[in-house]
Amino acid sequence: MMETGGPGCGKGTQCEKIVKDFGFLHLSAGDLLREEVKKGTPVGLNCDKLMKEGKLVPVEVTLGLIEKAMTASGKSRFLIDGFPRAIDQAKAFEAKICRPDKVLFLECPKEVMEQRLLKRGESSGRSDDNQATIIKRFETFQKESMPVIGFYDGVDKNIVAKVSSVPPPNQVYEVVVSVLRNIPGLEVKA
Ligand code: AP5
């Protein structure tokens, strides 16, 4: 399963809750990239630059990191957060790995996401939680990530589930759970 949505819409917050109740391994594209940045590799340095500019990292880098983490985990059910963010990523994932059984899209107005990110930026230490980068992240989201929803709708109308992430986290999660319960064969933890 994949989870997507604009910057600061609450993807990480909902993923934390989902993994507690359902048998998924959570892989966050942003977290995998930040780990690569910390390693200080040439690839990591380039990612750092792109992330500070609010741009997307090349598909071969993100997909490569996700694929590596999937293989290393030995698990079979994945919750991939922040991916795909562009149509080329969706197509590459389908070609190399599989079609997701569900794409959860968290809908949130830009003004709400902006306030959340600016608030988080007071303490997150994230180099992209500042006003200038946030504006660029929104631009990238609109231009590159939004078309992904249309792509999946064109493949199969049942893949995308849209959930508003404006209410408080627990209320959002209640709706998320109702979506997850309709995924065939999904194991629910006791
Ligand atoms: P990434 O780390 O994925 O950042 P993002 O998409 O901008 O999202 P965030 O992690 O900032 O927010 P979130 O939606 O997880 O919200 P959260 O739960 O934290 O990506 C960073 C960068 O990496 C990208 O810009 C790009 O450069 C690169 N990258 C990542 N993926 C890539 C890919 N696939 N391809 C290429 N490049 C890629 O919540 C935010 C705040 O709001 C928190 O403080 C939280 O407590 C609060 N909050 C959450 N939910 C609620 C709620 N319901 N009500 C009130 N507050 C809430």
Side-chain angles (χ1 to χ4, degrees):
M1 176 172 135
M2 287 162 168
E3 194 193 56
T4 186
C9 67
K11 298 183 288 299
T13 303
Q14 293 303 315
C15 282
E16 253 182 58
K17 294 177 181 296
I18 294 170
V19 291
K20 280 191 190 143
D21 291 338
F22 296 88
F24 284 109
L25 180 78
H26 174 210
L27 295 175
S28 152
D31 288 349
L32 289 169
L33 290 168
R34 280 183 285 276
E35 279 169 28
E36 202 59 29
V37 171
K38 266 196 212 150
K39 288 183 197 158
T41 59
V43 170
L45 291 175
N46 187 41
C47 292
D48 190 33
K49 184 172 169 285
L50 291 168
M51 289 163 86
K52 280 180 184 149
E53 290 168 358
K55 292 182 180 161
L56 295 183
V57 164
V59 58
E60 55 276 13
V61 176
T62 37
L63 187 56
L65 291 172
I66 289 169
E67 212 178 352
K68 201 169 140 197
M70 288 174 89
T71 309
S73 73
K75 305 271 182 185
S76 58
R77 279 267 185 192
F78 300 93
L79 172 59
I80 303 181
D81 158 15
F83 188 98
R85 285 188 197 232
I87 290 182
D88 66 336
Q89 296 187 5
K91 286 184 177 166
F93 194 89
E94 290 231 8
K96 287 195 86 177
I97 303 177
C98 67
R99 175 168 298 170
D101 42 11
K102 195 56 80 186
V103 175
L104 181 64
F105 178 60
L106 297 182
E107 290 184 299
C108 196
K110 196 169 132 182
E111 298 69 32
V112 176
M113 294 192 280
E114 185 177 22
Q115 286 313 310
R116 289 179 185 174
L117 290 176
L118 289 172
K119 179 137 196 332
R120 189 180 66 184
E122 291 168 10
S123 59
S124 69
R126 267 179 59 165
S127 61
D128 57 352
D129 277 350
N130 59 75
Q131 185 83 59
T133 309
I134 290 169
I135 291 171
K136 291 179 189 154
R137 285 159 74 188
F138 285 142
E139 285 170 5
T140 303
F141 171 67
Q142 275 305 329
K143 193 166 151 236
E144 303 198 49
S145 308
M146 279 303 288
V148 169
I149 301 306
F151 168 79
Y152 281 120
D153 278 343
V155 167
D156 178 344
K157 282 273 178 218
N158 296 314
I159 292 185
V160 178
K162 295 180 184 171
V163 173
S164 167
S165 61
V166 176
N170 285 343
Q171 283 183 31
V172 176
Y173 186 59
E174 280 175 24
V175 184
V176 168
V177 168
S178 67
V179 169
L180 293 180
R181 288 197 186 277
N182 285 325
I183 299 179
L186 186 60
E187 137 204 5
V188 183
K189 285 187 191 170

